[in-house]
Amino acid sequence: MMPQQADKIVLASGNTGKIREIQAILSEQTIIPQSHFNLPEAEETGQTFIENALIKARQATALCQLPAIADDSGLVVDALDGAPGVISARYAGAHANDTENLQKVLQQLGTTPMTKRSARFICVIAFLRHPADPCPIIAQGAWEGQILFESKGENGFGYDPIFWLPEQNCSSAELSPEIKNKLSHRGQALQQFQHQLRHSSS
């Protein structure tokens, strides 16, 4: 028996930027942030984006008894051996804010020339229909760019102000939300997720 379409999905995130982007893209479902249920943030103990996304989704579906979706994403900088990676949200410390995190990246890169400042945003989406779901939907997106020497732009969140997009000739933080959602790692992963969900539910 094929699982029924997931119309109501708990979003296992407390990040308002992620919530806004995911709700904008997943217009076919009713997305309920886990804050609605006063859920605690899951402890991200995984070594990879996939592991952490599954940890967050599994906790949310277990506590809410509803299907759950989780996003684990971050910035991967080649010159920093893949850092900040899975600890992107807490790169400058457990309670660091976006500005402190991106400043740490800029400080570590120092005067590294632009030709060696390649980077990408990675996003993994994990979807579980219930805690014991043996076949979670996993979707992944990657967005290539470079790291600027200073912040540019006021939109977006996280590392967007220092993420340069050569093809757009601007930073991620200078894109409109509509354009960003079409191009970004999260937009790519969510479109892939929608496609998989439709086919798994048909």
Side-chain angles (χ1 to χ4, degrees), residues 16 43-44 47 54 85-86 103 116 127 132-133 143:
T16 55
E43 187 175 351
E44 298 178 32
Q47 298 298 305
L54 284 168
V86 295
Q103 285 297 329
K116 295 184 178 180
F127 173 77
D133 189 345
W143 200 17

Side-chain angles (χ1 to χ4, degrees), residues 147-162:
I147 303 301
L148 290 166
F149 291 92
E150 60 183 15
S151 297
K152 289 188 69 176
E154 303 294 332
N155 297 330
F157 63 98
Y159 297 92
D160 285 339
I162 60 170

Side-chain angles (χ1 to χ4, degrees), residues 14 27 35 59 74 83 93 128 134 146 159 161 180 200-201:
S27 56
S35 57
Q59 173 178 285
L128 294 170
Q146 296 169 292
Y159 297 92
K180 182 187 176 187
S200 70
S201 304

Side-chain angles (χ1 to χ4, degrees), residues 6-171:
D7 294 319
K8 291 184 178 179
I9 301 175
V10 176
L11 172 57
S13 177
N15 183 308
T16 55
K18 285 185 181 182
I19 291 169
R20 186 169 56 250
E21 290 185 0
I22 291 172
Q23 287 180 324
I25 296 171
L26 296 185
S27 56
E28 294 181 12
Q29 286 80 32
T30 300
I31 306 297
I32 308 170
Q34 68 176 19
S35 57
H36 180 80
F37 300 95
N38 294 315
L39 296 188
E41 292 282 332
E43 187 175 351
E44 298 178 32
T45 56
Q47 298 298 305
T48 66
F49 294 116
I50 291 176
E51 289 174 311
N52 283 334
L54 284 168
I55 287 169
K56 291 186 280 189
R58 187 167 288 116
Q59 173 178 285
T61 190
L63 295 177
C64 297
Q65 298 300 304
L66 285 169
I69 188 171
D71 152 307
D72 199 58
S73 52
L75 179 68
V76 173
V77 181
D78 294 323
L80 299 181
D81 296 325
V86 295
I87 62 167
S88 291
R90 54 189 186 279
Y91 193 44
H95 304 291
N97 60 32
D98 289 350
T99 301
E100 291 167 336
N101 286 328
L102 69 81
Q103 285 297 329
K104 181 174 180 180
V105 169
L106 294 179
Q107 288 165 7
Q108 291 194 317
L109 283 174
T111 58
T112 301
M114 200 65 177
T115 54
K116 295 184 178 180
R117 297 171 82 94
S118 56
R120 66 206 51 83
F121 277 127
I122 300 291
C123 174
V124 171
I125 297 290
F127 173 77
L128 294 170
R129 291 177 175 81
H130 52 80
D133 189 345
C135 298
I137 292 176
I138 305 291
Q140 182 169 327
W143 200 17
E144 297 289 335
Q146 296 169 292
I147 303 301
L148 290 166
F149 291 92
E150 60 183 15
S151 297
K152 289 188 69 176
E154 303 294 332
N155 297 330
F157 63 98
Y159 297 92
D160 285 339
I162 60 170
F163 190 70
W164 180 253
L165 302 161
E167 292 181 359
Q168 304 298 316
N169 197 34
C170 68
S171 75

